[in-house]
């Protein structure tokens, strides 16, 4: 019987995401945060859709995939131009590549942003195949957009671009590569592609894995970007739920260990050392990603602790924030961001979705006799 996914916080999370999803199918990043208002990200949205799908909200997830497909097919000619120019040895500038976020109506928007990111296009492919496998949906309904995305990623996967945090556009990021490879693997394995596209997708994924093995690891663990010595909280996603690397492997175990030792304090996970965004706080969604990795690696007790910490960040109204300030890396920088954009984004739909996703996995893997202390607090 579901327990985590039927708690008051989980019910609020499910209702909140469903209520805020737009008529077009987009998921707002946050309804009131000034810098995010009016936009939906492919990356955040794909993980939100996966979380909703995991708790049975299939229609919501499919409406988001429909929105993604509409955004992409509306840009079919532009995507084909990017691919052709790249294949001709003239890769377009970052400003001409597909952006990370769109308006709810599918537009680019007028304000400047750190837009060229590849991760979201991999995650939407991965999420729709996960959903199709979970609920028996026919992914062929999104095939034209899938094909465009595959062509775009196969042509562009090795380009430097902004990371999950809209930073460091000069690097090739391991978390981005994991998202791209997971998406290409998913659609290639689902039998959705013609022979040439499937071959191209598999070759690109194999090349990504070879590159990560050569330049994206250090001392046996994944690193922030190719050639880096640093780590990033987003790397947990490469282990679970994306499955780019086996959480139970030596690489998975070493990556989990370094994320726990370097970035996680009392269950709260930071983005990276040196983070100054709102002072560099701890992110509930990253604790949930790490919880998924720990659970997949066999440490259910630690996964529960990470879930419990993420759940504890909810406000009295049961809204989850983007980050919390109990353990700041750069406390003097917090007010600079508050003055610029206002207080921390609350609620952040991605935080709620990752709590749902980890909760669903804990429910699925729960033993008949398991009793977790977090349920007592959530039941109040």
């Amino acid at each position: 019987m579901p327990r985590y996914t039927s708690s008051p916080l989980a019910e609020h999370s499910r209702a909140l995401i469903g209520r805020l999803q737009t008529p077009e199918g987009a998921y707002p990043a946050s309804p009131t945060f000034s810098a995010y208002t009016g936009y939906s990200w492919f990356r955040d949205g794909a993980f939100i859709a996966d979380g909703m799908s995991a708790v049975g909200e299939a229609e919501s997830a499919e409406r988001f995939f429909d929105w993604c497909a509409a955004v992409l097919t509306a840009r079919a000619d532009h995507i084909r131009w990017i691919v052709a120019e790249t294949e001709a040895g003239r890769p377009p500038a970052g400003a001409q590549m597909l952006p990370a976020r769109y308006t709810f109506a599918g537009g680019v928007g007028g304000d400047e942003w750190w837009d060229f990111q590849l991760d979201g296009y991999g995650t939407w492919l991965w999420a729709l195949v996960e959903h199709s496998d979970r609920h028996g949906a026919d992914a062929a309904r999104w095939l034209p957009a899938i094909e465009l995305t595959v062509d775009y990623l196969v042509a562009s996967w090795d380009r430097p671009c902004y990371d999950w945090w809209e930073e460091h556009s000069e690097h090739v990021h391991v978390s981005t590569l994991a998202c791209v490879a997971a998406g290409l693997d998913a659609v290639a394995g689902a039998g959705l592609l013609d022979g040439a596209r499937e071959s191209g997708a598999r070759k690109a994924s194999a090349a990504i894995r070879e590159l990560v093995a050569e330049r994206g690891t250090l001392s046996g663990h994944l690193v922030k970007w190719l050639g880096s010595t640093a780590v990033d909280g987003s790397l947990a996603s490469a282990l679970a739920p994306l499955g780019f690397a086996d959480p139970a492997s030596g690489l998975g175990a070493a990556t989990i260990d370094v994320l726990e030792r370097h970035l996680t304090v009392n269950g709260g996970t930071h983005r990276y050392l040196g983070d100054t965004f709102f002072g560099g706080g701890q992110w509930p969604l990253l604790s949930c990603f790490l919880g998924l990795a720990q659970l997949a690696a066999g440490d259910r007790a630690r996964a529960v602790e990470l879930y419990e910490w993420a759940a504890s960040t909810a406000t009295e109204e049961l809204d989850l924030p983007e980050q919390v300030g109990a353990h700041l890396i750069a406390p003097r920088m917090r007010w600079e961001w508050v003055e610029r954009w206002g207080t921390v984004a609350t609620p952040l739909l991605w935080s709620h979705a990752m709590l749902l996703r980890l909760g669903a996995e804990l429910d699925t893997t729960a033993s008949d006799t398991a009793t977790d202390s977090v349920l007592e607090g959530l039941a109040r």
Side-chain angles (χ1 to χ4, degrees):
M1 180 178 180
R3 299 172 303 142
Y4 290 94
T5 52
S6 59
S7 71
L9 179 54
E11 292 293 343
H12 174 77
S13 297
R14 185 195 311 240
L16 176 75
I17 294 170
R19 184 175 73 251
L20 292 177
Q21 187 172 18
T22 73
E24 298 90 346
Y27 291 121
S30 182
T32 58
F33 187 63
S34 62
Y36 301 167
T37 301
Y39 287 96
S40 179
W41 273 253
F42 262 53
R43 174 193 56 251
D44 306 24
F47 284 122
I48 294 168
D50 179 59
M52 290 292 274
S53 172
V55 296
E57 300 290 345
E59 182 181 359
S60 175
E62 290 176 12
R63 287 177 57 213
F64 176 74
F65 301 144
D66 288 343
W67 177 79
C68 292
V71 168
L72 290 162
T73 54
R75 289 164 175 77
D77 289 343
H78 184 63
I79 294 171
R80 295 188 186 105
W81 173 80
I82 290 172
V83 172
E85 287 294 287
T86 302
E87 291 176 347
R90 300 184 298 268
Q96 295 174 303
M97 300 294 282
L98 297 180
R101 66 179 195 171
Y102 296 88
T103 66
F104 302 153
V108 174
D111 52 333
E112 293 185 7
W113 198 257
W114 306 272
D115 252 332
F116 175 33
Q117 299 170 42
L118 293 168
D119 46 49
Y121 298 96
T123 50
W124 106 271
L125 293 179
W126 166 82
L128 70 86
V129 173
E130 285 286 301
H131 170 78
S132 298
D133 290 346
R134 189 181 286 128
H135 294 286
D138 184 4
R141 68 191 265 189
W142 303 296
L143 186 57
I146 291 170
E147 291 176 340
L148 287 167
T149 307
V150 169
D151 293 347
Y152 178 70
L153 292 176
V154 168
S156 309
W157 67 264
D158 57 350
R159 291 190 53 167
C161 66
Y162 290 106
D163 62 10
W164 279 27
W165 319 124
E166 280 97 18
E167 297 176 345
H168 300 293
S169 63
E170 71 276 19
H171 292 295
V172 175
H173 302 277
V174 173
S175 295
T176 297
L177 292 175
C179 290
V180 172
L184 293 176
D185 285 344
V187 293
L192 293 167
L193 306 176
D194 59 43
R197 278 198 178 89
E198 181 177 329
S199 176
R202 293 188 184 279
K203 287 179 180 178
S205 177
I208 289 170
R209 293 174 186 282
E210 182 177 353
L211 183 61
V212 170
E214 291 177 355
R215 298 184 55 209
T217 61
L218 179 71
S219 302
H221 62 77
L222 297 173
V223 294
K224 187 171 173 63
W225 60 66
L226 299 183
S228 176
T229 60
V231 292
D232 192 284
S234 61
L235 291 170
S237 71
L239 309 179
L242 295 175
F244 173 76
D246 181 0
S249 67
L251 177 66
T255 301
I256 290 172
D257 177 65
V258 75
L259 294 178
E260 288 276 16
R261 288 188 294 107
H262 288 203
L263 299 181
T264 306
V265 179
N266 298 326
T269 302
H270 292 280
R271 299 195 302 175
Y272 55 90
L273 296 179
D275 186 12
T276 61
F277 182 58
F278 280 90
Q282 297 162 295
W283 288 50
L285 68 90
L286 290 179
S287 291
C288 290
F289 274 118
L290 185 55
L292 287 166
Q294 288 281 22
L295 186 62
D299 193 341
R300 178 182 173 84
R302 181 55 176 162
V304 168
E305 290 173 353
L306 290 160
Y307 181 99
E308 183 172 14
W309 181 88
S312 75
T313 68
T315 67
E316 291 184 0
E317 294 77 23
L318 298 183
D319 289 338
L320 291 171
E322 184 174 60
Q323 63 171 287
V324 295
H327 187 271
L328 295 178
I329 292 173
R332 294 182 181 180
M333 293 295 295
R334 178 172 177 262
W335 285 106
E336 179 178 321
W337 287 99
V338 172
E339 291 173 359
R340 180 178 180 183
W341 281 347
T343 54
V344 169
T346 309
L348 188 80
L349 270 65
W350 193 5
S351 296
H352 284 276
M354 294 316 302
L355 194 84
L356 289 175
R357 184 65 172 82
L358 177 53
E361 203 66 26
L362 286 167
D363 279 347
T364 299
T365 59
S367 66
D368 292 337
T369 59
T371 55
D372 299 319
S373 63
V374 64
L375 297 177
E376 299 176 5
L378 295 179
R380 289 198 299 266

